[in-house]
Amino acid sequence: MSAQTLLVETFYHDVWNKNDAAKAKEILSPDFRFRGSLGPEKTGPDGFAAYMQSVHSALGEYRCLIKELIVSDNKAAARMLFRGIHRGPFFGVEATGKTIEWAGAAFFEFQDEKISQLWVLGDIDSVKAQLGLVSLTGQMSPPPV
């Protein structure tokens, strides 16, 4: 297993799935740049940890599942599945208790044996449809009551 593969697997299995900010500081570079589908760009392990905490607050039992991983010298790409139980405000919708899931893709860069950048693209339309904010055809729906 390559060092890059181990970093990506640790990032999802230990950092994200266990909500482990201390582990994030071990594997993310000090100037780490993160751009996720659910919010603005975050910098540094602390900026990322705040983002991670907000997702875990909204989605209980939140999990990131690696479906496919391709690694080269200093880059990696992963096909992902994200899943959680809607337990807190998410996209302005109060908790529904529903399990929601969506597909995504993650693009990593590595420097000095740490993750230096990550850009995640997720199927936000699917998330919004599951929350009742849009129909599956993309039409806006009124917020749930």
Side-chain angles (χ1 to χ4, degrees):
M1 177 182 305
S2 72
Q4 294 88 341
T5 299
L6 183 59
L7 280 170
V8 172
E9 289 183 353
T10 299
F11 178 78
Y12 284 118
H13 297 302
D14 296 335
V15 175
W16 259 116
N17 292 350
K18 296 178 182 175
N19 195 16
D20 189 340
K23 189 66 165 181
K25 288 183 180 186
E26 290 177 25
I27 67 168
L28 302 178
S29 68
D31 59 346
F32 174 68
R33 289 179 50 215
F34 174 79
R35 176 68 171 98
S37 301
L38 302 175
E41 184 174 296
K42 301 294 182 181
T43 56
D46 291 334
F48 170 76
Y51 175 89
M52 180 175 65
Q53 184 58 47
S54 71
V55 173
H56 276 273
S57 293
L59 300 174
E61 299 177 34
Y62 182 71
R63 296 292 176 266
C64 304
L65 307 166
I66 301 170
K67 303 306 262 178
E68 184 177 12
L69 178 60
I70 300 169
V71 177
S72 69
D73 296 331
N74 70 334
K75 295 185 181 199
R79 186 170 55 89
M80 302 296 303
L81 181 67
F82 307 105
R83 178 183 300 138
I85 300 170
H86 185 208
R87 293 197 174 147
F90 198 51
F91 285 92
V93 177
E94 292 300 320
T96 63
K98 294 180 186 176
T99 296
I100 60 172
E101 68 178 32
W102 66 99
F107 302 93
F108 292 83
E109 289 189 28
F110 309 97
Q111 186 175 1
D112 300 326
E113 300 181 21
K114 293 191 181 243
I115 301 171
S116 59
Q117 291 188 52
L118 174 56
W119 186 4
V120 179
L121 303 171
D123 184 357
I124 299 306
D125 286 340
S126 174
V127 174
K128 290 179 179 179
Q130 291 172 73
L131 294 173
L133 294 173
V134 296
S135 71
L136 293 177
T137 62
Q139 302 270 333
M140 294 298 292
S141 300
V145 182

